[in-house]
Amino acid sequence: MTEHILVVDKRYVPFLKNIGMTCMHRMNETKELLLGIEEIDNQHIKIYDLLCQIVKEKKKNNKEGVMVNVEKLLEIWETH
């Protein structure tokens, strides 16, 4: 589990650093993160989608929308 977090999940960090990029541009790069294991890939896609939603809500200054998506993200990370 630790190795997965340090190796696979760590690859998501550049997406957070490049907030100015569009979600569609980042989605093309996300394909590199797929492992070919459906359950894990689906979790990664859901995590990515939630990160995009957080960015969109932040741009709209919608604190409630940000927090709702952060809570969903934390729930997924607890099981991931």
Side-chain angles (χ1 to χ4, degrees), residues 38-53:
E38 187 176 355
E39 183 178 352
I40 293 174
D41 288 344
N42 288 340
Q43 289 176 357
H44 286 167
I45 290 167
K46 182 67 177 170
I47 290 167
Y48 173 80
D49 288 342
L50 287 170
L51 289 171
C52 283
Q53 281 302 117

Side-chain angles (χ1 to χ4, degrees), residues 13-68:
V13 173
F15 298 117
L16 297 174
K17 291 180 181 176
N18 298 315
I19 297 297
M21 295 175 66
T22 65
C23 285
M24 190 49 104
H25 181 310
R26 283 188 247 156
M27 187 61 171
N28 291 331
E29 294 179 7
T30 308
K31 292 175 185 171
E32 297 173 10
L33 302 175
L34 300 179
L35 301 174
I37 302 170
E38 187 176 355
E39 183 178 352
I40 293 174
D41 288 344
N42 288 340
Q43 289 176 357
H44 286 167
I45 290 167
K46 182 67 177 170
I47 290 167
Y48 173 80
D49 288 342
L50 287 170
L51 289 171
C52 283
Q53 281 302 117
I54 291 168
V55 170
K56 287 178 185 177
E57 297 300 328
K58 181 152 177 38
K59 285 181 181 179
K60 293 190 287 187
N61 257 351
N62 182 356
K63 292 179 184 180
E64 184 178 330
V66 170
M67 290 311 298
V68 166

